[in-house]
Amino acid sequence: MKIRPDQIEGVQPDQMQRRNKAGQSESAFGDFLNREVARGETAAAPNIAPPPIVNPLLAAGAVANVRPVSEDGAQVAGQVESILDKWDDYAAALADPEAGLKSAYGTLDEIADDVASLKAGQPDLASTHPGLKSIVDELETLAAAEQFKFNRGDYV
């Protein structure tokens, strides 16, 4: 295909119009920016008071409201921590292909047994330590869900 000069002349005005529009928008933006900067320099910032400084020692009285943990609560917290450590072992066994699924399932059985014995050993956990009770319930639910996944074959 040959390009003839009369074809080029028809396209040139369109290109010139586009260039002019681009130049106008750039200069318009530059003018607008200069006006805003000039206005910002001349306008005085209103006097705003700095935020008040709060003394952190004023809340030291709240420390007196903290109760010591009972021996029973510390024992339950230790058992929960032990179960959480077993969850870490379980996750590591699932991630390691050399450990195998048998060891992971054995750890999961230990977790389920520990949670069941903890619930059986502390029947009044809901009234004495409601926070620990909710953690134990979540551990039980998680163990049941993982056992279901294993039995369904999700990890095979």
Side-chain angles (χ1 to χ4, degrees):
M1 176 177 170
K2 292 186 178 183
I3 299 175
R4 296 187 317 245
D6 60 332
Q7 292 174 335
I8 295 173
E9 290 173 5
V11 177
Q12 284 179 343
D14 290 341
Q15 290 177 345
M16 293 301 284
Q17 287 177 354
R18 288 183 190 156
R19 286 184 191 148
N20 290 340
K21 285 182 182 179
Q24 288 174 356
S25 65
E26 289 175 2
S27 64
F29 177 75
D31 293 340
F32 176 74
L33 181 63
N34 290 335
R35 280 192 308 247
E36 289 298 315
V37 168
R39 186 183 326 162
E41 290 175 354
T42 59
N47 292 336
I48 299 173
I53 298 173
V54 179
N55 188 351
L57 297 177
L58 293 176
V63 175
N65 295 337
V66 176
R67 297 175 299 170
V69 178
S70 66
E71 190 174 314
D72 185 40
Q75 178 188 7
V76 172
Q79 290 174 335
V80 168
E81 188 174 347
S82 171
I83 293 170
L84 289 173
D85 289 340
K86 288 183 182 179
W87 273 111
D88 290 338
D89 295 342
Y90 171 72
L94 280 180
D96 185 18
E98 293 179 16
L101 293 177
K102 286 185 180 182
S103 67
Y105 193 76
T107 306
L108 186 59
D109 274 341
E110 289 177 17
I111 291 170
D113 291 341
D114 289 350
V115 171
S117 66
L118 179 61
K119 287 187 82 158
Q122 301 289 333
D124 59 342
L125 192 60
S127 61
T128 57
H129 304 289
L132 287 174
K133 171 68 173 159
S134 66
I135 292 172
V136 170
D137 288 343
E138 287 181 29
L139 289 173
E140 182 182 35
T141 304
L142 188 59
E146 284 296 313
Q147 284 180 329
F148 182 76
K149 287 179 185 179
F150 245 104
N151 292 335
R152 188 173 58 187
D154 287 0
Y155 298 117
V156 177

